[in-house]
Amino acid sequence: MAVLAFGQKKFYVYGVGFYNQENLFDTCHDEGKNDYEYLPTGANRWGEMKYTHKLRNMARALADMGTDMLPDIGCSIIGLSEVENAKVLDDLIAQGPLYVRGYKYVHVEGPDRRGVDCAMLYNPAFFTVKDVKLIPYVPELAKDSTFMTRGFLTVTGTLADENIGVIVCHWPSRFSESFYRESAGRQVRVVKDSLLREDPNMKIFVMGDMNDDPMDRSMKDELGAKAEMKDVGPNDLYNPWYNTLAKKGQGTLSYQGSWNLFDQIVFTPNLLTGIDKKDFSKLTFLNHKIQRRDYLLQREGRYKGTPKRTHASGVWLDGYSDHLPVAIYLIKEK
């Protein structure tokens, strides 16, 4: 939270972010999980030195999120994907840039075969956790009865004295048919609606690596995340990232020379109601931004200008992630 002044009025500003951690594994085997490539003897030779560098790098990027508007405090809430377990989260928040801000986390161990889960960092000075659930992804086809993937980490709490819901996602990969991400969209919409039945005034954020772009059916139709504020109905969500990709050509990951924007934060229309009336007495959406930092990008070679990964073509780059972080900003009159 920061305080901004416009004329005679002052406003609190809060940051809410998401960042795919790209294989934040420790160096130990988790029983029952296929994490062998991220062991000291595995394909990536994932030893203590590489793990230590990965933690340092991710902590730097996470602490930097939101600092363009909130230079001293960054984001109040950050959803994460591709974290292995509670140990890596303990190690992550112990890193200096996150430790000094007092970040905590919520995490529930999920069923993913590789062992990667979703989690959420939060600054307890601004966000208070009330409830945490992992809602499982339920296969809709009989042939998929053994299909196991990330569930939907659902966190409720308070931010700026208002009830907030956060659903952190990592939808099925592009190696799966679109149907599976469309199914995820349908299921997350049910989760969102169930939260609103409990509290119709709750302000809900659905965030994550959706493995689809904003204009894909999973997001636009099944989840109901609309591109224009005027088209957002009471049962829909607003997706500010749609035009970021469609009109500006900006994305969060690059594939074969083209940008995709899989990393999205969409939200309920009660975060828009004050905009037309210039009434910011309640939490209201202000703006959104891809957290594009020079150090997160390749500086030379064939992939110059694309996210600097931890590994590429079997070579350790000492990078960050194959995705860029994203953040939205909220405003409330002081």
Side-chain angles (χ1 to χ4, degrees):
M1 177 193 71
V3 178
L4 297 181
F6 298 105
Q8 298 300 312
K9 294 185 177 181
K10 293 184 178 180
F11 301 86
Y12 293 122
V13 180
Y14 302 85
V16 175
F18 174 80
Y19 193 16
N20 181 320
Q21 301 292 280
E22 196 199 17
N23 298 316
L24 181 52
F25 282 85
D26 61 24
T27 61
C28 304
H29 174 56
D30 278 9
E31 189 67 31
K33 302 296 185 180
N34 184 14
D35 58 0
Y36 296 103
E37 65 180 315
Y38 283 92
L39 297 176
T41 56
N44 290 316
R45 294 294 187 264
W46 195 246
E48 194 64 30
M49 184 270 289
K50 288 185 178 181
Y51 177 53
T52 299
H53 278 237
K54 176 73 170 180
L55 290 169
R56 179 200 65 192
N57 291 352
M58 302 318 293
R60 176 188 182 187
L62 288 162
D64 208 7
M65 290 174 64
T67 55
D68 47 345
M69 287 200 68
L70 305 162
D72 297 322
I73 55 176
C75 288
S76 298
I77 296 169
I78 306 175
L80 307 177
S81 66
E82 294 198 22
V83 297
E84 185 182 19
N85 50 34
K87 179 185 183 302
V88 302
L89 289 162
D90 285 331
D91 293 344
L92 182 64
I93 64 171
Q95 301 296 304
L98 299 178
Y99 179 80
V100 296
R101 297 219 189 117
Y103 276 106
K104 305 296 183 185
Y105 69 84
V106 291
H107 165 258
V108 179
E109 187 70 30
D112 184 83
R113 296 186 189 280
R114 290 182 65 236
V116 291
D117 299 325
C118 293
M120 192 187 89
L121 302 185
Y122 67 96
N123 188 330
F126 308 119
F127 181 77
T128 301
V129 175
K130 286 187 176 179
D131 187 48
V132 178
K133 297 176 183 175
L134 183 66
I135 309 297
Y137 177 100
V138 179
E140 293 185 348
L141 300 177
K143 68 174 184 176
D144 297 325
S145 59
T146 60
F147 184 71
M148 301 173 70
T149 191
R150 284 82 51 177
F152 315 118
L153 181 66
T154 304
V155 184
T156 59
T158 56
L159 178 71
D161 297 319
E162 298 187 31
N163 288 342
I164 298 295
V166 182
I167 306 171
V168 187
C169 305
H170 187 185
W171 288 0
S173 78
R174 300 288 272 197
F175 293 109
S176 302
E177 299 171 17
S178 177
F179 169 83
Y180 295 95
R181 292 179 297 283
E182 292 170 21
S183 175
R186 288 189 287 273
Q187 294 183 45
V188 171
R189 192 168 192 162
V190 170
V191 176
K192 180 262 296 183
D193 290 345
S194 69
L195 292 176
L196 288 175
R197 281 195 297 272
E198 294 176 13
D199 179 2
N201 296 315
M202 183 177 288
K203 293 178 174 176
I204 299 174
F205 303 90
V206 177
M207 63 173 66
D209 175 0
M210 309 306 191
N211 274 307
D212 265 341
D213 286 320
M215 58 284 299
D216 287 323
R217 181 175 172 81
S218 62
M219 291 296 299
K220 180 170 62 74
D221 299 322
E222 301 300 346
L223 182 59
K226 306 302 183 185
E228 306 295 340
M229 290 186 188
K230 63 182 176 59
D231 296 330
V232 181
N235 298 317
D236 295 326
L237 299 161
Y238 175 55
N239 191 344
W241 309 97
Y242 191 109
N243 290 321
T244 301
L245 181 63
K247 294 184 178 180
K248 298 180 181 179
Q250 298 174 1
T252 55
L253 69 159
S254 178
Y255 180 69
Q256 295 183 346
S258 298
W259 285 98
N260 293 98
L261 210 165
F262 292 172
D263 308 272
Q264 301 165 58
I265 306 171
V266 303
F267 46 86
T268 45
N270 51 7
L271 282 148
L272 303 174
T273 53
I275 293 176
D276 288 340
K277 300 175 183 178
K278 300 293 189 292
D279 176 9
F280 303 108
S281 59
K282 300 290 185 182
L283 272 177
T284 303
F285 171 67
L286 178 62
N287 56 34
H288 67 293
K289 191 173 183 180
I290 296 172
Q291 305 291 287
R292 191 180 178 91
R293 307 286 193 259
D294 287 345
Y295 63 82
L296 296 177
L297 303 171
Q298 292 275 13
R299 297 183 180 179
E300 57 189 10
R302 177 181 174 187
Y303 299 108
K304 182 179 179 180
T306 66
K308 185 179 181 181
R309 308 182 57 169
T310 304
H311 294 94
S313 302
V315 177
W316 181 56
L317 303 179
D318 194 16
Y320 295 80
S321 173
D322 53 344
H323 295 241
L324 295 175
V326 294
I328 66 170
Y329 300 97
L330 311 173
I331 192 169
K332 184 173 183 177
E333 190 170 344
K334 186 175 179 183

